[in-house]
Amino acid sequence: ILITSEGKPPRVNVLGASEEVRSLLKTIQCSISHSGRFAAAVLRLDELGIGVDVEEIKTLDEKMVADFSSESERQECSEKADFIGLWALKEACVKATGEGLAREPKDFVIDAFDWSGKVTLVDKVSGRCFDGLAIHDGKYCLATVRELDKERKV
């Protein structure tokens, strides 16, 4: 199995696969992340974006936090795990667009906060919407996002 990216979201390819299988694989979206001894991968079987990020929970400096978050988002964060979760959600979003950190994480704003469950993020530039989930074990945070129907824009 080979995962390739040429300025687009990564694609899955199976070396030696038939043309029929390769055609099917072109619709699979893939995102991969790792931190420390943990790794995560997510796949999606359509053309909508998917993203994942794994981050070690650590203290972030105030300038970095200000660079990727809004004042209202910072007010919702009370622990360092919240800030890492916010960062991980936004990094997963930039991966889901296929543009990576060429996009500003601050362009993605959390529309609804609920740290115990799912959040909704909105791309301020394109209006695209994403469902996201961030969970942590006190040492590492895992965040995943999936793009909602391309017709649903804010």
Side-chain angles (χ1 to χ4, degrees), residues 20 23 47 50 54 96 117 133 143:
E20 183 179 7
S23 177
E47 293 293 326
I50 186 93
V54 179
L133 177 67

Side-chain angles (χ1 to χ4, degrees), residues 9 15 18 26 34 39 45 63 72 99 118 126 133 136 140:
L15 299 176
S18 69
K26 288 180 183 177
H34 69 89
L45 303 177
K63 181 184 180 330
S72 63
E99 299 170 277
K118 206 164 52 167
S126 70
L133 177 67
H136 71 85
Y140 286 87

Side-chain angles (χ1 to χ4, degrees), residues 52-65:
V52 65
D53 191 37
V54 179
E55 295 287 340
E56 182 180 4
I57 296 174
K58 58 188 177 231
T59 302
L60 300 174
D61 68 62
E62 290 182 31
K63 181 184 180 330
M64 181 179 180
V65 172

Side-chain angles (χ1 to χ4, degrees), residues 59-135:
T59 302
L60 300 174
D61 68 62
E62 290 182 31
K63 181 184 180 330
M64 181 179 180
V65 172
D67 285 346
F68 74 78
S69 62
S70 68
E71 180 64 34
S72 63
E73 289 171 334
R74 290 190 295 277
Q75 289 175 358
E76 294 292 333
C77 297
S78 59
E79 301 175 12
K80 63 183 173 182
D82 294 340
F83 289 106
I84 296 295
L86 180 60
W87 167 258
L89 283 164
K90 291 183 177 219
E91 188 166 333
C93 276
V94 299
K95 290 177 178 182
T97 67
E99 299 170 277
L101 289 174
R103 287 292 309 276
E104 293 290 331
K106 205 170 193 172
D107 288 345
F108 298 88
V109 294
I110 294 188
D111 190 45
F113 279 95
D114 179 2
W115 290 119
S116 65
K118 206 164 52 167
V119 297
T120 301
L121 297 101
V122 176
D123 180 347
K124 294 187 303 186
V125 174
S126 70
R128 292 161 67 185
C129 297
F130 301 84
D131 276 343
L133 177 67
I135 58 173

